[in-house]
Amino acid sequence: MAIEVRIPTILRTYTDGAKAVEGTGDTIAALLTDLETRHTGIRERIVDGANGDQLRRFVNVYLNDEDVRFLDGISTKLADGDSVTILPAVAGGSGRMPMPDVSATL
């Protein structure tokens, strides 16, 4: 069962720069375990918990464009031909930018 996994830039050091890799598994958890056999260290960047049984807080995983947190999380079932996308969450900013001083240009 071939599943395409899209890798974010920050994790490509684990995949020798590859933007996408193939993996196998009947669940997200099994897929991540499979990826770990060829891309050592990648799994611990994605999962957390005492048993590695939950997604890290700031990592989003999508199955065919649907967030797995709204499905069955790491236990979400996979099928041949599925596409999994791993994305780090993006946050930051103060919420309001100061207005530039344009009085010198008037």
Side-chain angles (χ1 to χ4, degrees):
M1 169 172 29
I3 298 162
E4 179 188 47
V5 184
R6 294 184 202 133
I7 307 296
T9 304
I10 198 164
L11 294 179
R12 290 182 191 160
T13 55
Y14 297 97
T15 61
D16 295 323
K19 295 178 181 182
V21 296
E22 286 206 356
T24 61
D26 59 349
T27 65
I28 295 290
L31 173 66
L32 294 175
T33 298
D34 177 63
L35 289 180
E36 182 69 20
T37 64
R38 288 180 309 287
H39 309 289
T40 305
I42 196 166
R43 189 175 193 283
E44 70 184 48
R45 296 294 184 181
I46 300 168
V47 296
D48 208 358
N51 299 319
D53 57 355
Q54 59 189 352
L55 293 173
R56 285 185 173 268
R57 184 175 174 192
F58 296 107
V59 175
N60 299 313
V61 176
Y62 295 88
L63 170 60
N64 303 323
D65 300 323
E66 195 164 344
D67 191 333
V68 299
R69 282 191 172 94
F70 297 107
L71 300 172
D72 289 324
I74 199 166
S75 299
T76 299
K77 298 284 185 196
L78 300 173
D80 191 30
D82 278 342
S83 176
V84 172
T85 303
I86 302 166
L87 288 175
V90 179
S94 64
R96 186 169 185 212
M97 292 183 60
M99 293 297 293
D101 181 10
V102 295
S103 61
T105 61
L106 296 177

